[in-house]
Amino acid sequence: METSIPVSTGKHSFFLILLCVFSGFSNLLSLFVTLMVLIYGKSVCFVDSVPVIDIMAEELRHGSIVFYFIKAGVHILCLFTLVLLARGLRKGLILYALCQLLLLALPWLFLQSLGVSYLTMITAISLIFALFFIMLFSLALPKKTEKTPEPLP
């Protein structure tokens, strides 16, 4: 008979929940701005007044409707993966990393009119934050349980 030695205590880490909240806020903000542009059109003026969102607003002005729907869908999927991560499931980390990779690739597929230098800068900045969050999530998630073999009599 094999016994399992749990590495974690079974409680959710405060740090993991905090990471999920920060990443969830970022995804909700991006989803909100994307949906506002979809609903009200490309002439939404409120996004120009917020300094942090001006880069996102520039991307959203040059994108197509398909770009908006795909980006909104990926952000919704990111929110779902954050729920998986908050529950401590490691498959949530893989799905989160894939969503972040897709969010990095979307501007290159739909926003070529912005130019290569702009896309390179945006991708580099987004990649730094995506790798930072992926690394922190991988450190905060509970490790798998270790199975120890039963000693022979």
Side-chain angles (χ1 to χ4, degrees):
M1 184 168 117
E2 293 184 3
T3 59
S4 297
I5 301 172
V7 177
S8 66
T9 61
K11 294 182 180 179
H12 297 298
S13 167
F14 175 75
F15 182 64
L16 180 62
I17 301 298
L18 187 66
L19 281 174
C20 289
V21 167
F22 283 143
S23 185
F25 177 74
S26 170
N27 281 299
L28 282 174
L29 181 67
S30 297
L31 182 63
F32 174 73
V33 172
T34 302
L35 290 178
M36 291 303 289
V37 170
L38 271 174
I39 293 169
Y40 294 112
K42 295 183 182 183
S43 61
V44 178
C45 296
F46 78 94
V47 288
D48 290 335
S49 62
V50 180
V52 179
I53 302 178
D54 59 349
I55 295 173
M56 183 185 300
E58 189 67 28
E59 287 181 2
L60 293 174
R61 274 194 214 100
H62 291 282
S64 66
I65 296 295
V66 175
F67 172 70
Y68 299 136
F69 278 116
I70 292 174
K71 188 170 182 176
V74 173
H75 281 297
I76 291 170
L77 187 60
C78 277
L79 291 171
F80 171 72
T81 61
L82 289 174
V83 171
L84 294 176
L85 284 168
R87 291 183 178 177
L89 299 174
R90 295 198 68 79
K91 66 180 172 184
L93 179 63
I94 295 169
L95 290 173
Y96 182 81
L98 289 175
C99 288
Q100 293 300 317
L101 184 64
L102 186 57
L103 285 173
L104 288 172
L106 279 177
W108 287 93
L109 298 174
F110 292 100
L111 302 174
Q112 291 96 7
S113 63
L114 291 174
V116 173
S117 62
Y118 177 81
L119 291 174
T120 304
M121 178 191 64
I122 289 301
T123 303
I125 293 169
S126 298
L127 181 66
I128 290 169
F129 284 106
L131 289 176
F132 180 70
F133 269 101
I134 290 169
M135 179 193 67
L136 289 178
F137 275 126
S138 67
L139 292 174
L141 278 174
K143 306 293 183 232
K144 291 184 177 181
T145 59
E146 298 176 5
K147 297 204 178 210
T148 57
E150 183 180 320
L152 295 172

